[in-house]
Amino acid sequence: GQYSLTPLDVITLDDKAREVLISTSGPKFSSWTKDQQPTLPELAAAMTLKDPSESKFARIEQALVTLLPSIDPYAYYRTASEVAQLSEAMRQNPGSVHLTLEQMPDGRVLCYPLSDGPAEMAGVNAGAQLLAVDKRPVEGKSLSALRLAFVGPPDKPIQLKIKQPQGKTEELTIVRTDKPSPNIVVSKSTLGLNVRIRKFDRGSASKVKELLEAHPEPGRLTLDLRGNTGGLRDEALKVASLFFPQGTPLGKFTTRDGPQVANDGNGVLSAPTSIKILQDERTASAAEFLIAALKEGLADKVTLFGGKTYGKSHSTAHVMLEGGGELAVTETLLSTASGKSWDKTGIQPDQMEGE
């Protein structure tokens, strides 16, 4: 599938939503057309008047569920009831395997384990296709239903059947945990400072900044991004900005408003003699942006070690709507300042693992 960043005006969007709602509402409305009513809320209200078994709100949600993937292959909508059900289940059973799921346009569900979490430790590789959960096939199930299937008490195992990116099918038993996994781990050696960033969440850049301020002359800096599947793109940008003069172009963010140059806003905070970046096939999205920005802007200092990265150059926006549902759409396409993309190709290391 291709990313879609073409903006749709409200009239066109409403028109498409009415068409989708009619086409997914069954034989009772087979004679209806999208022009039966001028707007989606009015159409949903008229349909509920004829068939009170489903509310106006539920019909609008139904339209969103079907419409979004047709506009953006990576978009989805979780209904208010799905969000509430998952939230309550997680409150009662806080066990987790530290794994995120992503549904592809062709229906496949891919797994992205958090570095050093139970799923990764059990052998799940980033990009593995989920085939079954506790011996129940995932085909035909919604992403919300699958997320709910992963919820359970701490220390209770869950069985997954997956197809690894290399093609091997495996059945794995993973034990849930309620222990959080720190996203940033630091250690110091005789050669310099080692910083492992497992994911870019809110505050990650501030933590890295504090670490660099505490070690003003780090010597060789090692950034370990193995297993980092991404996170918040702005946090990755802020980390990159710690190494460049103020105003330096670090990359490009292409949104529905067009391409925007992402500049350094801080000025150089840290000037290590060299930067060693550890990466692997699980390194993706925002983590790849950081690698690409540092490699392009500090080519004489930066060396990449490990495997080719995953090759995911988009970020997703998640919005909680007033009615309680969750909207997720492709927000930004990421590239280097010169316009280079790593989408589907990944970033090759300077030195492969084992060389």
Side-chain angles (χ1 to χ4, degrees), residues 140-153:
K141 289 185 168 56
S142 70
L143 201 58
S144 294
L146 292 176
R147 286 173 174 154
L148 193 61
F150 276 80
V151 177

Side-chain angles (χ1 to χ4, degrees), residues 202-215:
R202 199 166 304 282
S204 292
S206 295
K207 293 175 184 176
V208 174
K209 182 179 179 182
E210 290 172 6
L211 290 171
L212 295 177
E213 286 176 335
H215 301 86

Side-chain angles (χ1 to χ4, degrees), residues 177-194:
T177 180
D178 60 355
K179 295 178 182 177
S181 179
N183 282 339
I184 297 178
V185 180
V186 63
S187 62
K188 195 171 183 181
S189 69
T190 55
L191 295 175
L193 191 65
N194 305 311

Side-chain angles (χ1 to χ4, degrees), residues 159-185:
Q159 290 184 316
L160 303 185
K161 183 177 182 180
I162 60 172
K163 183 179 180 181
Q164 298 283 20
Q166 300 80 8
K168 182 181 179 182
T169 298
E170 295 184 282
E171 293 190 14
L172 304 174
T173 298
I174 308 172
V175 179
R176 298 178 176 93
T177 180
D178 60 355
K179 295 178 182 177
S181 179
N183 282 339
I184 297 178
V185 180

Side-chain angles (χ1 to χ4, degrees), residues 218-284:
R220 186 186 76 180
L221 174 65
T222 298
L223 289 177
D224 189 347
L225 300 176
R226 292 174 297 181
N228 185 325
T229 56
L232 301 178
R233 64 138 207 238
D234 287 346
E235 292 293 324
L237 173 63
K238 290 175 184 177
V239 171
S241 73
L242 299 174
F243 303 97
F244 292 91
Q246 191 168 9
T248 303
L250 301 180
K252 288 181 181 177
F253 294 163
T254 301
T255 67
R256 285 174 171 79
D257 296 324
Q260 299 173 349
V261 177
N263 293 315
D264 181 293
N266 296 309
V268 178
L269 175 72
S270 180
T273 55
S274 64
I275 301 176
K276 178 180 180 180
I277 298 179
L278 305 181
Q279 61 182 54
D280 60 17
E281 72 279 358
R282 300 161 298 170
T283 308

Side-chain angles (χ1 to χ4, degrees), residues 52-129:
S53 65
E54 194 169 4
S55 70
K56 169 186 170 182
F57 181 74
R59 294 184 190 280
I60 292 175
E61 286 199 308
Q62 173 190 331
L64 286 173
V65 168
T66 308
L67 174 65
L68 284 174
S70 70
I71 298 173
D72 177 350
Y74 297 91
Y76 63 83
Y77 176 77
R78 291 170 60 207
T79 67
S81 62
E82 289 172 334
V83 172
Q85 188 178 15
L86 181 61
S87 178
E88 178 61 18
M90 292 175 67
R91 186 188 68 80
Q92 294 186 18
N93 297 290
S96 170
V97 297
H98 294 176
L99 177 77
T100 60
L101 301 175
E102 184 170 323
Q103 194 154 32
M104 305 305 289
D106 61 7
R108 290 177 302 131
V109 177
L110 303 186
C111 305
Y112 295 92
L114 184 64
S115 180
D116 289 342
E120 184 188 89
M121 299 299 287
V124 179
N125 292 325
Q129 181 182 352

